[in-house]
Amino acid sequence: MQQIPEKLVQSYSFSPERRHALYRRTLAVVIISQIFGGAGLAAGVTVGALLAQQMLGTAGLAGIPAALFTLGSAGAAFLVGRISQRRGRRAGLASGFIAGGIGAAGVVLAAVTDSVVLLFIALLVYGAGTATNLQARYAGTDLAPPRRRATAVSLAMVSTTLGAVAGPNLVTPMGAFATALGIPALTGPFLLASVAYAFAGLVLYFWLRPDPLLLATAISAQDRAETAPATDSQSTPEPPGNNRGVAVGTTVMVLTQIAMVAIMTMTPVHMQSHGHGLTEVGVVIGIHIGFMYLPSLITGVLVDRLGRVPMAVAAGVTLLAAGIVAATAPAQSMGQLMIALALLGLGWNFGLISGTALIVDATPLETRAKIQGSIDVLIALAGATGGALSGVVVAGTSYAVLSLAGGVLSLLLIPVVVWSQRTTPHN
């Protein structure tokens, strides 16, 4: 792991006020980067399936883009986690966002040249931005007090709302801009994504100093050396129960990701097939993404005060409600679809923040970024599975069946968290 000068470590180690000020500054930098990152994320969510349907000529494969960029995000999550562990959050997150920007530019080029092969490759690289956008939430927790970790996650996530909500609502003007350039209208949001991801990476690269993960790790090591030098070698292993915390947190995030991605991916296709235009699609997806991130401030406080497990259960119940509302929505009902996608985003928000807090609680600083990256690989693969199967399920059955299946699947996280509560006292 890259080292921070000892004098700098001591200046923060012996000054809680200075450390708190750096914590607040770190959150501010992450917030700024997440605003740009949210705009980049929204492009693939909003028009990725529509672009694939247009280029491939079939709705049955419209879930492929979501599968590809979430699969790409799996590889990126692994790499970003490893880079962050060795060289800090700054290096890992900046690299991931810039790679995502390159991928978005590749999608535009693929559409212009009508190259399906290039489209698939570019979507894989574009997934790096999605993974990085998600992993940035951890950067806010490195210097956070244990009782404010979920709140720190929420502050990092809520800033994504500005870009993520603006992105889908810029579909029409960005489409007009792309048309004016003589390229397909659906590439417009990816033009925006390319620039937005690049800016997010540059903000982190230049301003996230000193690196929060490297500094927190160095301070922790120094504190152990000073308070218990004789037993320092025994202080590194994870505390009892940490493996269970990792397992439960991972399960919560994986199940919520599958349910959310599957329903979200096919909603634009479902809407267009029933006569809704791009502007209406943008509004519904914008509301969905808004509810994915905007409630974070409240969710973080609830997770810290009520507990990780109750909010994980709330995630399963909310996602079930989203599936039921989406499945029963009349084809022409914008209102009910907006409610369904709002609940879908809210349930995902509950699951992600409670699951993230469980993971942070259960991982030591010395291996935290690496473990977090590996877990985000599973989350990305879960999203890829949900995205790939969503088109097949809808083509073979209906959007209603997909929605109900996603809602019911999310309920599986409830017995998992109940199991964790029952078995904890025996460890």
Side-chain angles (χ1 to χ4, degrees):
M1 175 179 281
Q2 186 172 326
Q3 300 296 317
I4 287 185
E6 185 177 351
K7 199 173 279 189
L8 183 63
V9 174
Q10 291 178 347
S11 69
Y12 285 103
S13 180
F14 298 128
S15 176
E17 295 81 8
R18 194 176 181 199
R19 195 187 314 182
H20 183 70
L22 178 60
Y23 160 65
R24 292 173 63 89
R25 181 179 180 275
T26 297
L27 279 178
V29 173
V30 171
I31 284 170
I32 294 170
S33 72
Q34 289 294 80
I35 292 173
F36 289 111
L41 168 71
V45 172
T46 308
V47 300
L50 300 177
L51 182 60
Q53 183 180 8
Q54 185 181 87
M55 293 181 66
L56 298 171
T58 173
L61 299 176
I64 293 297
L68 285 172
F69 67 68
T70 49
L71 186 61
S73 72
F78 181 84
L79 292 174
V80 169
R82 293 305 189 275
I83 294 172
S84 296
Q85 191 70 63
R86 292 184 179 183
R87 303 191 62 81
R89 300 285 188 194
R90 172 174 160 264
L93 297 177
S95 300
F97 272 132
I98 291 173
I102 293 172
V107 171
V108 175
L109 181 60
V112 171
T113 59
D114 197 27
S115 172
V116 174
V117 173
L118 179 57
L119 174 68
F120 288 171
I121 295 172
L123 284 169
L124 282 170
V125 180
Y126 170 74
T130 306
T132 309
N133 190 277
L134 194 59
Q135 282 209 28
R137 74 194 189 278
Y138 290 120
T141 67
D142 293 327
L143 295 169
R147 292 186 179 181
R148 288 186 58 83
R149 284 169 174 164
T151 303
V153 173
S154 69
L155 288 169
M157 285 181 60
V158 75
S159 56
T160 309
T161 307
L162 295 177
V165 173
N169 289 290
L170 290 174
V171 166
T172 299
M174 288 304 299
F177 177 69
T179 302
L181 294 177
I183 59 179
L186 291 177
T187 63
F190 284 99
L191 287 172
L192 174 65
S194 182
V195 175
Y197 275 156
F199 269 98
L202 291 173
V203 166
L204 290 165
Y205 182 79
F206 287 110
W207 291 351
L208 197 63
R209 302 168 185 265
D211 189 279
L213 178 61
L214 297 181
L215 180 63
T217 303
I219 291 174
S220 176
Q222 185 179 79
D223 290 345
R224 287 199 310 271
E226 292 177 354
T227 58
T231 59
D232 184 61
S233 60
Q234 299 178 359
S235 63
T236 300
E238 296 179 6
N242 273 6
N243 289 337
R244 179 169 295 107
V246 170
V248 175
T250 301
T251 302
V252 169
M253 291 191 286
V254 164
L255 290 178
T256 54
Q257 186 77 358
I258 293 175
M260 186 276 289
V261 171
I263 298 173
M264 174 199 67
T265 297
M266 293 312 296
T267 297
V269 176
H270 171 72
M271 291 180 67
Q272 277 216 320
S273 66
H274 289 89
H276 295 286
L278 278 179
T279 300
E280 292 172 305
V281 170
V283 169
V284 170
I285 296 300
I287 289 172
H288 165 65
I289 296 178
F291 273 84
M292 285 174 66
Y293 295 101
L294 192 57
S296 295
L297 286 176
I298 297 174
T299 303
V301 173
L302 291 175
V303 170
D304 279 335
R305 293 186 179 180
L306 299 181
R308 281 62 163 139
V309 169
M311 293 305 294
V313 172
V317 174
T318 305
L319 288 170
L320 175 63
I324 294 172
V325 174
T328 58
Q332 303 302 322
S333 174
M334 274 281 292
Q336 194 164 333
L337 280 174
M338 285 191 287
I339 294 172
L341 270 291
L343 288 170
L344 187 69
L346 183 62
W348 179 86
N349 180 270
F350 289 168
L352 187 74
I353 294 181
S354 60
T356 298
L358 284 165
I359 296 300
V360 174
D361 291 344
T363 50
L365 282 162
E366 290 76 10
T367 58
R368 180 171 296 170
K370 182 171 66 175
I371 293 173
Q372 290 165 345
S374 298
I375 290 169
D376 278 3
V377 169
L378 295 178
I379 296 172
L381 291 175
T385 302
L389 293 180
S390 63
V392 176
V393 172
V394 170
T397 56
S398 67
Y399 176 75
V401 170
L402 174 71
S403 300
L404 285 175
V408 172
L409 178 66
S410 65
L411 286 181
L412 292 177
L413 63 85
I414 294 179
V416 171
V417 297
V418 169
W419 163 80
S420 73
Q421 292 294 95
R422 288 182 176 177
T423 56
T424 296
H426 300 288
N427 289 281

